[in-house]
Amino acid sequence: MRLAVATDGGNVSQHFGQCSEYTIVDIQDKKIVERRLFTNPGHEGGGCSIPHTLHGEKVESVIAGGMGQKAIMNFEQYGIKTYLGVSGSVDKAIDNFINGVLVSGESTCDSSHGEGHNCGH
């Protein structure tokens, strides 16, 4: 399983498209076998480029505070599961994901926003 967490300074970013990087982890048998940082390629195309890029990295699930509806649909097209409404440390989010206790909720981002929307930042 390959997981990507939208990351800003060690915390889960509240907007997947505007984070500085993604923490990508490979998980096997409930253990992290590889961990790396992946620089955000940019939020172009209204939520299209990042799902495409992360699909190319073989990511299967994404954790973020929020994302717009178009981005959610783009991730779904690639078969990538999204976990939204997550906050706090990246390490805790990964640990919760591995242990099956990650609480996913409403996106912290207004799904009707345009490309320039910054989700409160």
Side-chain angles (χ1 to χ4, degrees), residues 45-95:
C48 298
S49 63
I50 296 170
H52 177 77
T53 300
L54 292 179
H55 172 72
E57 292 292 316
K58 301 187 181 356
V59 167
E60 299 168 67
S61 297
V62 173
I63 295 173
M67 67 179 67
Q69 191 60 42
K70 185 174 181 180
I72 293 168
M73 290 188 312
N74 286 325
F75 276 117
E76 287 174 353
Q77 283 184 321
Y78 288 113
I80 298 172
K81 174 111 172 98
T82 56
Y83 296 87
L84 305 176
V86 180
S87 61
S89 80
V90 168
D91 291 338
K92 183 68 173 170
I94 293 169
D95 187 54

Side-chain angles (χ1 to χ4, degrees), residues 10-24:
N11 290 312
V12 177
S13 175
Q14 293 308 292
H15 191 291
F16 93 101
Q18 296 179 1
C19 65
S20 57
E21 58 200 0
Y22 295 89
T23 300
I24 297 180

Side-chain angles (χ1 to χ4, degrees), residues 14-55:
Q14 293 308 292
H15 191 291
F16 93 101
Q18 296 179 1
C19 65
S20 57
E21 58 200 0
Y22 295 89
T23 300
I24 297 180
V25 294
D26 291 333
I27 302 165
Q28 291 178 349
D29 300 320
K30 293 193 171 197
K31 294 185 185 236
I32 297 172
V33 295
E34 185 176 340
R35 180 181 179 128
R36 64 187 168 98
L37 294 177
F38 183 83
T39 302
N40 184 345
H43 189 19
E44 298 173 9
C48 298
S49 63
I50 296 170
H52 177 77
T53 300
L54 292 179
H55 172 72

